[in-house]
Amino acid sequence: MAGPRKRRAAEPEREPEDEPARSAVMAPPAWLDGHWGAVPDPEADAACRCGVLEVSRSAGESAATRLYHQYPLRLIVPRRVKAAFPDADCVWCYSVTFGGGLVAGDRSGMSVDVADGCAAVLATQGTTKIYKHARGGPAGKSPASASERITDEASRYSAADAKTSRDTVQALAARIGDGALLAALPDPAQAFRDSRFRNRQRFKLKSTGSLALVDWVTAGRAGFEGGGAGGFTSGYGGGVAPATQFPRDPDGERWVFDSYATAAEVCVDDREVLVESVRLDQGFRGTEKYDDGTAASARGGASGGLAARMGAVHALAVVVLVGPRCEAASKSVKEALEPFAKSTVAGGARGVSAPPDPAGDAGWLLASLSDLRVGDDGRVAGVVARVAGPDTDSVYRILRRALEPLGRELGAPPFAERGLA
């Protein structure tokens, strides 16, 4: 028989939260104003105000001394990541989006400030999924079926002032102090059919600051064949789409987003030393014809356009390493990618024109390497590598191998801290 229930002691009333203090935590950092340099970017600036991470010294080691996020972003700073090198002094921060991805018109991003001598990693828990933008049917055509009525509704919802008519924008603004290290190591972006995505990142380093950046994208949902009335197809609400317009494609949903644009800008001591940008868009949808009368879709499969030009390439990655704390990683990247770079120049790009290989056994990889020079004397301070592969796993493997020396600085090897090595 249970004994007498103990009366809980009265809890003291909580004092009301200091509103000015709360506002100070939520306020974006003052340095964000003017961060974008000679090219103002209101959309990127708004995106960076969704999250704030400040890493500085606390009790003698790197710590997240300020952390703030708002929809659609959530930031998570776990305590136990550094299993391989527990003595490493580094903060890991994972970004998560509500709903598992970014929808049309979303603005998501963060501002990061890494103080002198500190280190931080920005990572994700999976691919950054960019969902569709609503598409409309032919202008002036009256809806004759349920599918067309849905399309007409989508067209009205995508008016010029509607959220779904805007690009999805992601941005990162960062300051890196002397002797500090920031490693931006996200999983790849995965843009779905009809999506429009723009990503801008700008890093400002002090003279002895270090940066490791991986910026990459995959072809999309290669395992999703799509098509068929009653089956889900992007661009149509309600999960209904006419099979005649979206037939099943055994090659999967590859390179069928509307547009993808990303840019990374690196400044050292307020001098811009790198602007690395990639833009991919359809150009044509497969309805055009070549000079010989051949339909574009006949040469590029049902997807046409970008998919035809990308061939068997499934993943594109850019790696930027700069600063003294990335010297070992820069050397490793050169050693790992130099054979592929030489092979690419010698004709190793032949595999790109081959059909996509679902098994991931294509056996080729394209790469290029460039020294990154800074200062008046043009000294080599890092490396820029560009990689294209036939599948995501092959690019993951080369990134893990090339960036392995960073593990001692970060506490765990890049892209392997979740047991994926």
Side-chain angles (χ1 to χ4, degrees):
M1 183 174 178
R5 183 177 298 174
K6 294 182 179 180
R7 180 174 296 179
R8 180 181 297 175
E11 296 181 359
E13 293 186 5
R14 294 183 179 179
E15 296 183 2
E17 191 172 358
D18 186 7
E19 189 62 30
R22 183 171 180 269
S23 299
V25 172
M26 297 172 61
W31 58 262
L32 192 57
D33 296 331
H35 179 79
W36 303 106
V39 185
D41 194 334
E43 293 178 335
D45 187 75
C48 285
R49 296 171 190 270
C50 289
V52 177
L53 172 66
E54 292 183 359
V55 177
S56 58
R57 287 285 171 191
S58 179
E61 59 184 32
S62 299
T65 51
R66 185 183 177 197
L67 186 68
Y68 167 74
H69 54 254
Q70 66 182 31
Y71 181 87
L73 178 70
R74 181 177 177 83
L75 301 177
I76 301 173
V77 178
R79 294 182 179 179
R80 297 183 180 179
V81 176
K82 301 172 289 186
F85 303 97
D87 294 333
D89 180 23
C90 184
V91 172
W92 284 70
C93 179
Y94 288 85
S95 61
V96 181
T97 51
F98 290 91
L102 300 173
V103 300
D106 269 350
R107 304 286 184 264
S108 180
M110 57 190 301
S111 60
V112 180
D113 192 357
V114 185
D116 295 350
C118 296
V121 179
L122 306 179
T124 57
Q125 293 185 318
T127 60
T128 300
K129 298 171 180 62
I130 302 103
Y131 296 119
K132 66 180 181 179
H133 282 65
R135 294 178 58 201
K141 181 180 177 181
S142 58
S145 64
S147 297
E148 290 179 354
R149 283 195 295 274
I150 291 172
T151 305
D152 189 55
E153 289 294 328
S155 179
R156 284 200 296 269
Y157 188 61
S158 290
D161 58 347
K163 179 183 177 184
T164 51
S165 69
R166 303 183 305 177
D167 289 358
T168 302
V169 176
Q170 180 175 274
L172 171 62
R175 294 197 315 176
I176 304 168
D178 279 320
L181 168 64
L182 174 64
L185 305 172
D187 294 288
Q190 185 181 25
F192 287 20
R193 181 188 293 273
D194 304 329
S195 61
R196 300 198 304 268
F197 178 69
R198 184 170 71 87
N199 180 38
R200 187 176 180 189
Q201 305 173 90
R202 187 172 176 87
F203 305 90
K204 290 188 175 182
L205 288 70
K206 293 291 184 64
S207 59
T208 59
S210 299
L211 169 68
L213 167 67
V214 176
D215 187 6
W216 57 320
V217 61
T218 65
R221 297 181 292 178
F224 177 69
E225 296 183 4
F232 174 78
T233 303
S234 292
Y236 290 83
V240 180
T244 55
Q245 187 165 349
F246 288 97
R248 289 190 178 276
D249 188 347
D251 291 336
E253 190 179 278
R254 302 181 67 257
W255 306 114
V256 289
F257 46 80
D258 269 4
S259 63
Y260 171 91
T262 182
E265 305 156 29
V266 179
C267 304
V268 178
D269 279 341
D270 295 325
R271 176 180 293 185
E272 201 166 72
V273 298
L274 176 70
V275 177
E276 180 73 21
S277 62
V278 175
R279 180 173 179 84
L280 305 171
D281 55 32
Q282 292 301 326
F284 55 82
R285 282 281 184 178
T287 58
E288 294 79 355
K289 294 184 178 181
Y290 292 97
D291 293 338
D292 61 1
T294 305
S297 58
R299 295 189 182 181
S303 300
L306 181 61
R309 302 196 297 275
M310 297 302 292
V313 171
H314 179 76
L316 293 173
V318 174
V319 180
V320 178
L321 297 169
V322 60
R325 297 181 69 171
C326 293
E327 284 184 0
S330 296
K331 181 180 179 181
S332 177
V333 165
K334 291 180 180 180
E335 292 175 351
L337 293 179
E338 192 170 11
F340 295 103
K342 290 180 178 179
S343 174
T344 300
V345 174
R350 287 189 298 268
V352 175
S353 59
D357 182 11
D361 297 325
W364 58 267
L365 199 69
L366 307 184
S368 69
L369 292 165
S370 303
D371 287 333
L372 183 57
R373 299 179 180 274
V374 302
D376 295 329
D377 55 354
R379 61 183 174 85
V380 176
V383 65
V384 180
R386 304 164 188 88
V387 182
D391 57 87
T392 310
D393 286 344
S394 64
V395 179
Y396 264 125
R397 283 194 296 270
I398 197 65
L399 289 177
R400 292 189 191 109
R401 174 186 163 193
L403 299 176
E404 185 178 8
L406 278 176
R408 294 187 178 278
E409 296 281 355
L410 309 180
F415 303 112
E417 83 283 358
R418 292 166 289 175
L420 299 177

